[in-house]
Amino acid sequence: MHVLLTGGNRGIGAEIVRQMSERGDHVISTSRDGSTGHRLDVSDGTALKQFAGAAGTIDLLVCNAGVFLDRGQELDGGFDADKWAHTFAVNVTAVFQTIQAHLPNLAESQSPKIAIIASQMGSSERASGGSYIYRASKAAAINLATNLSIDLEPRGVAVGVYHPGWVRTEMGGAGADIDAATSATGLIARFDALSLAHTGVFENYDGTPMPY
């Protein structure tokens, strides 16, 4: 399987790349700083298009790159406009533009799939306050995935959106529930199971359906 994953330089992304490569998949990954894979700033639309033009056939596109800039900010005085703009540029706009740029590459596959890594923090049913920017961006990503699943189904492209769990990474913190390897193993199983028969799913890494 030919796989392209954004944000593969650390945490869950790096572990997905490692596990899928070890089982024999051909995995291309990107990172903003170029520390692993191909250097690519996903918020740069021009760079995205240039990269997609040379990527070739893609069976699975994993939109994993993301930022969490408003952790711990206070309602009075926090959440400045620059954080809103940058977060949405990476977590929402870049996801859409990445998918849009790679539609011709996905069209070359016999069973193309798109996986968007979101978060339960984007679920309206599980709202618990705080982290307004990150939560809003992930809610938008979930909505984006749901709508894309409708428009891409006639093209034969399956779309799923996934909560990776609360993972012990730089973003998740040391007190999180699971390690990156556990999350990645579960997510890969979700990617394998994704098909047109249940396109549009929002699932936990362990396969549990998530509330929108």
Side-chain angles (χ1 to χ4, degrees), residues 15-185:
E15 188 61 27
I16 292 173
V17 171
R18 185 189 70 79
Q19 291 190 24
M20 297 196 83
S21 296
E22 284 189 353
R23 76 177 195 177
D25 294 312
H26 176 69
V27 184
I28 300 171
S29 67
T30 72
S31 59
R32 185 179 59 180
D33 59 8
S35 58
T36 58
H38 296 261
R39 181 188 296 272
L40 179 66
D41 180 351
V42 293
S43 64
D44 183 339
T46 300
L48 274 176
K49 290 178 182 178
Q50 292 174 343
F51 179 72
T57 302
I58 295 174
D59 301 306
L60 170 65
L61 173 61
V62 183
C63 296
N64 172 69
V67 294
F68 188 173
L69 304 179
D70 61 321
R71 186 195 311 274
Q73 295 221 319
E74 297 295 331
L75 181 57
D76 297 317
F79 307 101
D80 60 85
D82 286 345
K83 285 186 174 62
W84 280 96
H86 184 60
T87 300
F88 269 74
V90 175
N91 292 2
V92 185
T93 306
V95 172
F96 178 80
Q97 291 188 325
T98 296
I99 293 168
Q100 186 180 51
H102 287 283
L103 286 176
N105 300 325
L106 288 160
E108 296 178 3
S109 171
Q110 295 299 309
S111 55
K113 306 179 186 185
I114 297 170
I116 297 174
I117 307 303
S119 171
Q120 69 176 1
M121 290 178 70
S123 167
S124 295
E125 292 186 33
R126 294 197 175 186
S128 58
S131 301
Y132 300 104
I133 303 174
Y134 184 76
R135 289 182 187 278
S137 73
K138 290 304 182 180
I142 293 166
N143 182 274
L144 178 64
T146 303
N147 283 282
L148 282 169
S149 71
I150 295 169
D151 288 335
L152 292 178
E153 184 175 8
R155 303 192 193 189
V157 182
V159 182
V161 59
Y162 303 96
H163 171 55
W166 186 20
V167 187
R168 291 189 292 274
T169 61
E170 182 177 333
M171 183 179 289
D177 293 334
I178 60 174
D179 59 20
T182 300
S183 175
T185 299

